[in-house]
Amino acid sequence: MATALLTTDRLAEKHRSTLDQALDTIRTRAYWSPYPEHPKAYGADGSLDAAAGLAAHQSALNTRFDLDQPGTDGWTGAETSPYGPSLGIEYPHADLDVLLPAMRAGMGAWRDAGAETRALVCLEILARISARTHEFAHAVMHTSGQAFMMAFQAGGPHAQDRGLEAVAYAYAEQTRTPAGRAGWSKPQGKRDPLELSKEFTPVGRGIALVIGCNTFPTWNGYPGLFASLATGNPVLVKPHPRAVLPLALTVEVAREVLAESGFDPNLVALAVERPGEGIAKTLAVRPEIRIIDYTGSTAFGDWLEANARQALVYTEKAGVNTVVVDSTDDYKGMLSNLAFSLSLYSGQMCTTPQNLLIPRDGITTDQGPKSYDEVVADLAAAVGGLLGDDARANGLLGALVNPDVKARLEAAAGLGEVALASREVVNPEYPDAVVRTPVIVKLDGTKPDAEAAYFSECFGPVSFAVSVESTADALELLRRTVREKGAMTVGAYTTSADTERAVEEVCLEESAQLSLNLTGGVYVNQTAAFSDFHGSGGNPAANAALCDGAFVSNRFRVVEVRRQA
């Protein structure tokens, strides 16, 4: 160990109460967050306010991002903001044969530090990231295309919440077994008892690989990163080539804190690929890589699960999120809630609803019976009203993250009758941004040719209003969709207790997270750390949940040493 500037006692003084509160909250499932959501909360106690955060972001542009990592054999980087400008940042390119052994070198001291020290170091990393939330928000915005406020909240405090949640679960799982030495005495009748001294040590599996995603680099990246680091594993972060900066900043902070705490900074490192290099596949099958966290396409997730046999693989892949509309006692609230859910971040969330299953004979509401056509028309009007003002639309939609999303959006209009056409929105601050409102397409769920459209994920601002014969048919289609295609979220609207029980039973049997009758300020595509589980690990959309005990418990093993007393 290097000389520690941050001692364990100092870290405990700063962060032990936060860890205790996190441990309590994952048991109670109550609302709690130590990281402020409002931009004006920053600027005191050394944190960056809005102006300082923007200045920090701008100072990073068109520079070389030097992390002083071993094995740097060149420089690379080709990020272009979805809002138009090139970031112009060069990142270290790693010689893996040099970097990976260097990462393993610090494992022993990190293991010997114990679960509490590891957790406290992780909390210090998160605290320093939190202090730079304004800077991170710009980095997330200009790599993911999220609008600023969403990038600030989802890429900042909400992502930090998920990281802290992973640390709490990691600490809880490691401390199930007593730390240090435990006495063991077995009575032998008249003879002296058999006595042993037993010592139990949580031991990390090896280097963990985090394969970052383009849309939520921090929110999706932090659970795996902090779960692995807190359980004793070095972490190699391989960002998406279009979203490097937020995770590079994260690695920079982590290395700084590790060094100041007396540990090898190479316990966390960055691997950025050259254009077209595709190092994720190379890394995934290297014997040094023992854990992989991945968010992205089903195709590559399936490849990882099939080929990275030496590693534990945690994947969040594609799913077909579905909402069953049976009846409601707040028609206006239902339409408003759904309109927001379909519009937020241009539908570029793994939790955004895609299929709305509506009986062809219509639904009952507090405003009287509504036919299928009326429900769809009213929903289209709600989306149109929500996004009718371009300034508000830009604030909700952000920008399309890549050309593939735009192509899917344009192709969707040819799949059926268009109930709501997508329109272009001009962003006056960023005229090169590609901003589009959602499209809603009507499909007949009884026709086989329509199934090809609604029975596969169409990632982006595309929703299908699928007519079905009855609510019972909707539930059967929901069951088949979750079982065969997976779902990160399911929503339902009903005033019937029987229907509520039926949809709940489908979701319990198929392991899908369900939201019922949301009409206020909570949306089906949003989850709260410490309380809501993101994914279940029980259907094809994801093989793990963020975050639960299973997400962390297999990242380490307990090794026992027995001594004769």
Side-chain angles (χ1 to χ4, degrees), residues 359-434:
R360 67 175 63 256
D361 291 336
I363 67 172
T364 60
T365 81
D366 58 317
Q367 298 183 17
K370 298 288 183 178
S371 68
Y372 163 82
D373 288 332
E374 287 177 313
V375 174
V376 179
D378 290 344
L379 178 59
V383 175
L386 177 68
L387 303 176
D389 177 75
D390 281 3
R392 185 177 188 184
N394 276 305
L396 285 174
L397 295 169
L400 299 188
V401 69
N402 60 52
D404 291 340
V405 176
K406 182 172 179 284
R408 282 192 293 270
L409 170 63
E410 293 171 345
L415 297 174
E417 179 185 345
V418 175
L420 176 67
S422 177
R423 71 177 182 89
E424 182 177 354
V425 178
V426 175
N427 187 317
E429 187 176 359
Y430 299 102
D432 293 331
V434 179

Side-chain angles (χ1 to χ4, degrees), residues 22 75 176 206 223 232 242 246 275 313 329 344 347 350 377 440 484 521 539 549:
W75 299 87
R176 288 184 185 277
R242 287 192 289 260
V313 179
D329 57 8
L344 185 61
C350 62
I440 299 177
E484 296 182 24
N539 70 65

Side-chain angles (χ1 to χ4, degrees), residues 27-44:
R27 290 190 291 267
T28 65
R29 317 308 295 180
Y31 169 76
W32 174 72
S33 173
Y35 308 115
E37 281 189 312
H38 199 286
K40 291 183 179 179
Y42 296 83

Side-chain angles (χ1 to χ4, degrees), residues 165-183:
E165 179 184 38
V167 174
Y169 274 103
Y171 179 82
E173 293 298 321
Q174 290 174 96
T175 55
R176 288 184 185 277
T177 304
R181 294 189 180 183

Side-chain angles (χ1 to χ4, degrees), residues 54 58 83-85 138 141-142 148 394 426-433:
L54 176 59
Q58 291 174 334
Y83 289 93
H138 289 286
M141 174 182 175
H142 285 290
F148 178 78
N394 276 305
V426 175
N427 187 317
E429 187 176 359
Y430 299 102
D432 293 331

